[in-house]
Amino acid sequence: MSIPQKLGTVLLATLIASPTFAEDSFNSHVHGNAALQLAFRNQELVIYLRGAAVDLLGSEHQPFSAEASSRDQALERAMRSPAYWIELPAAADCTLSQVHLGKHHVISGRGVAPEVMDSTADSVVAEHLDLNFTYSFLCANPQRFDSAKIKLFEHFPTLETVQVKIAGEKQTRQQLTPADTVLRMP
């Protein structure tokens, strides 16, 4: 594992394990709702986005048809560039260092299953799918990161809310909607 990967993993684990955020249902599979976490540590920023595939891809399950597979590939290409869905402040001078795209099958009544990329098993085919995206950045001026415009609602019209958690010097939560798309730092 590279140093940026290790750092991103540590930052994300710190955010998720934080007492401020531990008690909620971040891993819940909820249609119309995406979860966004930002973790800052010095000049490092990790952004984690998770949402139901039905909202991000238009389908509940792993793609089986050529058309569904094509939509899946198009989404993957678009999401590799965080600028597609989030506008970071130019003054913060953040440079993308790593991207990880993942799929998690949600097992009815048991929450999120371990990451599964091969969905040929009958038990996996019938379950719902969440998509997650992790981005690691190095920011030259992190103190100038005061807000970010979230463009998820433009691309994914079935999204109703984005639940945001921010951890750094201060921790906070926000709820974004199509009418309020600006993430504000505490």
Short mmCIF file of all heavy atoms in Angstrom, two decimals, residues 16-52:
data_model
loop_
_atom_site.label_atom_id
_atom_site.label_comp_id
_atom_site.label_asym_id
_atom_site.label_seq_id
_atom_site.Cartn_x
_atom_site.Cartn_y
_atom_site.Cartn_z
N ILE A 16 -14.58 8.14 10.45
CA ILE A 16 -15.68 7.22 10.70
C ILE A 16 -15.74 6.82 12.17
O ILE A 16 -16.81 6.68 12.75
CB ILE A 16 -15.57 5.99 9.78
CG1 ILE A 16 -15.85 6.42 8.33
CG2 ILE A 16 -16.54 4.90 10.19
CD1 ILE A 16 -15.52 5.37 7.31
N ALA A 17 -14.58 6.67 12.80
CA ALA A 17 -14.53 6.25 14.20
C ALA A 17 -14.77 7.40 15.18
O ALA A 17 -14.95 7.17 16.36
CB ALA A 17 -13.18 5.60 14.50
N SER A 18 -14.79 8.61 14.67
CA SER A 18 -14.97 9.77 15.53
C SER A 18 -16.29 9.68 16.30
O SER A 18 -17.33 9.38 15.73
CB SER A 18 -14.97 11.03 14.66
OG SER A 18 -15.40 12.14 15.41
N PRO A 19 -16.27 9.95 17.62
CA PRO A 19 -17.49 9.85 18.41
C PRO A 19 -18.61 10.74 17.88
O PRO A 19 -19.77 10.40 18.00
CB PRO A 19 -17.05 10.31 19.81
CG PRO A 19 -15.57 10.16 19.83
CD PRO A 19 -15.10 10.30 18.41
N THR A 20 -18.27 11.85 17.29
CA THR A 20 -19.30 12.75 16.77
C THR A 20 -20.11 12.07 15.69
O THR A 20 -21.29 12.34 15.52
CB THR A 20 -18.62 14.02 16.19
OG1 THR A 20 -17.90 14.64 17.23
CG2 THR A 20 -19.66 14.98 15.65
N PHE A 21 -19.50 11.17 14.94
CA PHE A 21 -20.16 10.57 13.80
C PHE A 21 -20.50 9.10 13.99
O PHE A 21 -21.20 8.52 13.19
CB PHE A 21 -19.27 10.71 12.55
CG PHE A 21 -18.94 12.13 12.23
CD1 PHE A 21 -17.65 12.50 11.91
CD2 PHE A 21 -19.92 13.10 12.24
CE1 PHE A 21 -17.35 13.81 11.60
CE2 PHE A 21 -19.63 14.42 11.93
CZ PHE A 21 -18.34 14.77 11.62
N ALA A 22 -20.03 8.49 15.03
CA ALA A 22 -20.16 7.04 15.19
C ALA A 22 -21.59 6.58 15.41
O ALA A 22 -21.95 5.47 15.03
CB ALA A 22 -19.28 6.56 16.33
N GLU A 23 -22.44 7.42 16.00
CA GLU A 23 -23.75 6.93 16.37
C GLU A 23 -24.78 6.95 15.25
O GLU A 23 -25.88 6.47 15.41
CB GLU A 23 -24.29 7.73 17.57
CG GLU A 23 -24.69 9.17 17.25
CD GLU A 23 -23.51 10.14 17.21
OE1 GLU A 23 -22.40 9.77 17.55
OE2 GLU A 23 -23.74 11.30 16.80
N ASP A 24 -24.47 7.49 14.11
CA ASP A 24 -25.50 7.56 13.07
C ASP A 24 -25.44 6.37 12.13
O ASP A 24 -24.66 5.47 12.28
CB ASP A 24 -25.42 8.88 12.31
CG ASP A 24 -24.25 8.94 11.35
OD1 ASP A 24 -23.59 7.91 11.16
OD2 ASP A 24 -24.00 10.01 10.81
N SER A 25 -26.33 6.39 11.17
CA SER A 25 -26.47 5.25 10.27
C SER A 25 -25.84 5.55 8.91
O SER A 25 -26.49 5.45 7.89
CB SER A 25 -27.95 4.91 10.11
OG SER A 25 -28.64 6.05 9.64
N PHE A 26 -24.57 5.92 8.91
CA PHE A 26 -23.89 6.28 7.66
C PHE A 26 -23.91 5.14 6.66
O PHE A 26 -23.98 5.36 5.47
CB PHE A 26 -22.44 6.69 7.96
CG PHE A 26 -21.71 7.13 6.73
CD1 PHE A 26 -21.95 8.37 6.18
CD2 PHE A 26 -20.79 6.30 6.10
CE1 PHE A 26 -21.30 8.78 5.03
CE2 PHE A 26 -20.14 6.70 4.96
CZ PHE A 26 -20.39 7.95 4.42
N ASN A 27 -23.88 3.92 7.11
CA ASN A 27 -23.85 2.78 6.20
C ASN A 27 -25.22 2.31 5.76
O ASN A 27 -25.35 1.27 5.15
CB ASN A 27 -23.08 1.62 6.84
CG ASN A 27 -21.60 1.89 6.84
OD1 ASN A 27 -21.08 2.53 5.94
ND2 ASN A 27 -20.92 1.43 7.86
N SER A 28 -26.25 3.07 6.07
CA SER A 28 -27.60 2.68 5.67
C SER A 28 -27.80 2.88 4.17
O SER A 28 -27.30 3.83 3.58
CB SER A 28 -28.64 3.52 6.41
OG SER A 28 -28.56 3.27 7.78
N HIS A 29 -28.55 1.98 3.59
CA HIS A 29 -28.90 2.06 2.17
C HIS A 29 -30.23 2.81 2.08
O HIS A 29 -31.28 2.27 2.40
CB HIS A 29 -29.04 0.64 1.61
CG HIS A 29 -29.46 0.59 0.19
ND1 HIS A 29 -28.57 0.71 -0.85
CD2 HIS A 29 -30.68 0.43 -0.38
CE1 HIS A 29 -29.23 0.61 -2.00
NE2 HIS A 29 -30.52 0.46 -1.73
N VAL A 30 -30.18 4.08 1.69
CA VAL A 30 -31.37 4.92 1.64
C VAL A 30 -31.47 5.56 0.26
O VAL A 30 -30.57 6.29 -0.15
CB VAL A 30 -31.33 6.02 2.73
CG1 VAL A 30 -32.58 6.88 2.67
CG2 VAL A 30 -31.14 5.41 4.11
N HIS A 31 -32.55 5.27 -0.43
CA HIS A 31 -32.77 5.89 -1.74
C HIS A 31 -32.99 7.38 -1.57
O HIS A 31 -33.63 7.83 -0.63
CB HIS A 31 -33.97 5.26 -2.43
CG HIS A 31 -33.77 3.82 -2.77
ND1 HIS A 31 -34.61 3.15 -3.60
CD2 HIS A 31 -32.83 2.93 -2.40
CE1 HIS A 31 -34.20 1.90 -3.73
NE2 HIS A 31 -33.12 1.75 -2.99
N GLY A 32 -32.47 8.16 -2.52
CA GLY A 32 -32.64 9.61 -2.49
C GLY A 32 -31.68 10.33 -1.58
O GLY A 32 -31.72 11.55 -1.46
N ASN A 33 -30.78 9.59 -0.94
CA ASN A 33 -29.86 10.19 0.03
C ASN A 33 -28.44 9.71 -0.25
O ASN A 33 -28.22 8.52 -0.44
CB ASN A 33 -30.27 9.80 1.45
CG ASN A 33 -29.42 10.45 2.50
OD1 ASN A 33 -29.04 11.61 2.38
ND2 ASN A 33 -29.09 9.71 3.54
N ALA A 34 -27.51 10.63 -0.28
CA ALA A 34 -26.09 10.28 -0.39
C ALA A 34 -25.39 10.75 0.88
O ALA A 34 -25.88 11.66 1.57
CB ALA A 34 -25.45 10.93 -1.61
N ALA A 35 -24.28 10.13 1.21
CA ALA A 35 -23.48 10.51 2.37
C ALA A 35 -22.12 10.97 1.88
O ALA A 35 -21.51 10.35 1.02
CB ALA A 35 -23.34 9.32 3.31
N LEU A 36 -21.68 12.09 2.43
CA LEU A 36 -20.41 12.69 2.04
C LEU A 36 -19.62 12.99 3.30
O LEU A 36 -20.14 13.60 4.23
CB LEU A 36 -20.70 13.98 1.25
CG LEU A 36 -19.52 14.84 0.83
CD1 LEU A 36 -18.60 14.08 -0.12
CD2 LEU A 36 -20.04 16.12 0.16
N GLN A 37 -18.37 12.54 3.33
CA GLN A 37 -17.49 12.82 4.47
C GLN A 37 -16.22 13.48 3.96
O GLN A 37 -15.66 13.06 2.95
CB GLN A 37 -17.12 11.54 5.20
CG GLN A 37 -18.29 10.88 5.89
CD GLN A 37 -17.86 9.67 6.71
OE1 GLN A 37 -16.79 9.10 6.52
NE2 GLN A 37 -18.71 9.27 7.62
N LEU A 38 -15.77 14.49 4.69
CA LEU A 38 -14.51 15.15 4.41
C LEU A 38 -13.66 15.07 5.67
O LEU A 38 -14.15 15.40 6.76
CB LEU A 38 -14.70 16.62 4.05
CG LEU A 38 -15.31 16.90 2.68
CD1 LEU A 38 -16.81 16.83 2.73
CD2 LEU A 38 -14.86 18.25 2.19
N ALA A 39 -12.43 14.63 5.53
CA ALA A 39 -11.51 14.55 6.67
C ALA A 39 -10.26 15.35 6.32
O ALA A 39 -9.63 15.11 5.29
CB ALA A 39 -11.15 13.10 6.96
N PHE A 40 -9.93 16.31 7.18
CA PHE A 40 -8.74 17.14 7.00
C PHE A 40 -7.72 16.80 8.06
O PHE A 40 -8.07 16.58 9.22
CB PHE A 40 -9.10 18.63 7.19
CG PHE A 40 -9.86 19.23 6.06
CD1 PHE A 40 -11.24 19.24 6.07
CD2 PHE A 40 -9.19 19.78 4.99
CE1 PHE A 40 -11.95 19.80 5.04
CE2 PHE A 40 -9.89 20.36 3.94
CZ PHE A 40 -11.27 20.36 3.97
N ARG A 41 -6.48 16.78 7.64
CA ARG A 41 -5.37 16.66 8.58
C ARG A 41 -4.20 17.40 7.95
O ARG A 41 -3.65 16.94 6.94
CB ARG A 41 -5.01 15.21 8.84
CG ARG A 41 -3.91 15.09 9.86
CD ARG A 41 -3.74 13.66 10.30
NE ARG A 41 -2.62 13.59 11.19
CZ ARG A 41 -1.78 12.59 11.22
NH1 ARG A 41 -1.95 11.57 10.43
NH2 ARG A 41 -0.78 12.60 12.06
N ASN A 42 -3.85 18.54 8.54
CA ASN A 42 -2.81 19.41 7.99
C ASN A 42 -3.15 19.73 6.54
O ASN A 42 -4.18 20.31 6.28
CB ASN A 42 -1.43 18.78 8.15
CG ASN A 42 -1.10 18.52 9.61
OD1 ASN A 42 -1.41 19.34 10.47
ND2 ASN A 42 -0.50 17.38 9.89
N GLN A 43 -2.32 19.32 5.59
CA GLN A 43 -2.57 19.63 4.18
C GLN A 43 -3.29 18.51 3.45
O GLN A 43 -3.54 18.60 2.27
CB GLN A 43 -1.24 19.94 3.47
CG GLN A 43 -0.62 21.23 3.97
CD GLN A 43 0.64 21.54 3.21
OE1 GLN A 43 1.60 20.78 3.22
NE2 GLN A 43 0.63 22.67 2.53
N GLU A 44 -3.64 17.46 4.15
CA GLU A 44 -4.27 16.30 3.52
C GLU A 44 -5.78 16.37 3.67
O GLU A 44 -6.30 16.71 4.73
CB GLU A 44 -3.74 15.03 4.16
CG GLU A 44 -2.24 14.93 4.00
CD GLU A 44 -1.55 14.35 5.22
OE1 GLU A 44 -2.08 14.46 6.34
OE2 GLU A 44 -0.47 13.79 5.04
N LEU A 45 -6.45 16.02 2.62
CA LEU A 45 -7.91 15.99 2.59
C LEU A 45 -8.34 14.68 1.95
O LEU A 45 -7.85 14.30 0.89
CB LEU A 45 -8.44 17.17 1.75
CG LEU A 45 -9.92 17.12 1.34
CD1 LEU A 45 -10.83 17.19 2.56
CD2 LEU A 45 -10.22 18.26 0.37
N VAL A 46 -9.25 13.98 2.62
CA VAL A 46 -9.85 12.78 2.06
C VAL A 46 -11.35 13.03 1.98
O VAL A 46 -11.97 13.49 2.94
CB VAL A 46 -9.57 11.52 2.92
CG1 VAL A 46 -10.34 10.31 2.38
CG2 VAL A 46 -8.08 11.22 2.95
N ILE A 47 -11.92 12.76 0.81
CA ILE A 47 -13.36 12.91 0.59
C ILE A 47 -13.92 11.53 0.26
O ILE A 47 -13.40 10.84 -0.60
CB ILE A 47 -13.66 13.89 -0.56
CG1 ILE A 47 -13.10 15.27 -0.24
CG2 ILE A 47 -15.16 13.94 -0.82
CD1 ILE A 47 -13.27 16.28 -1.37
N TYR A 48 -14.99 11.17 0.96
CA TYR A 48 -15.65 9.88 0.76
C TYR A 48 -17.11 10.14 0.44
O TYR A 48 -17.79 10.84 1.19
CB TYR A 48 -15.52 9.03 2.03
CG TYR A 48 -16.21 7.69 1.96
CD1 TYR A 48 -15.65 6.63 1.27
CD2 TYR A 48 -17.42 7.48 2.61
CE1 TYR A 48 -16.29 5.38 1.22
CE2 TYR A 48 -18.07 6.24 2.56
CZ TYR A 48 -17.50 5.21 1.87
OH TYR A 48 -18.12 3.99 1.82
N LEU A 49 -17.58 9.60 -0.66
CA LEU A 49 -18.96 9.76 -1.10
C LEU A 49 -19.58 8.38 -1.25
O LEU A 49 -18.97 7.48 -1.82
CB LEU A 49 -19.00 10.49 -2.44
CG LEU A 49 -20.37 10.59 -3.13
CD1 LEU A 49 -21.32 11.46 -2.32
CD2 LEU A 49 -20.18 11.14 -4.54
N ARG A 50 -20.80 8.23 -0.73
CA ARG A 50 -21.50 6.95 -0.84
C ARG A 50 -22.96 7.22 -1.16
O ARG A 50 -23.58 8.11 -0.60
CB ARG A 50 -21.40 6.20 0.48
CG ARG A 50 -22.14 4.89 0.45
CD ARG A 50 -22.10 4.22 1.83
NE ARG A 50 -22.34 2.82 1.62
CZ ARG A 50 -21.47 1.86 1.83
NH1 ARG A 50 -20.30 2.12 2.32
NH2 ARG A 50 -21.79 0.62 1.59
N GLY A 51 -23.50 6.42 -2.08
CA GLY A 51 -24.91 6.56 -2.43
C GLY A 51 -25.47 5.27 -3.00
O GLY A 51 -24.72 4.40 -3.46
N ALA A 52 -26.78 5.17 -2.97
CA ALA A 52 -27.45 4.00 -3.55
C ALA A 52 -27.27 4.02 -5.06
O ALA A 52 -27.42 5.06 -5.71
CB ALA A 52 -28.93 4.02 -3.18
#
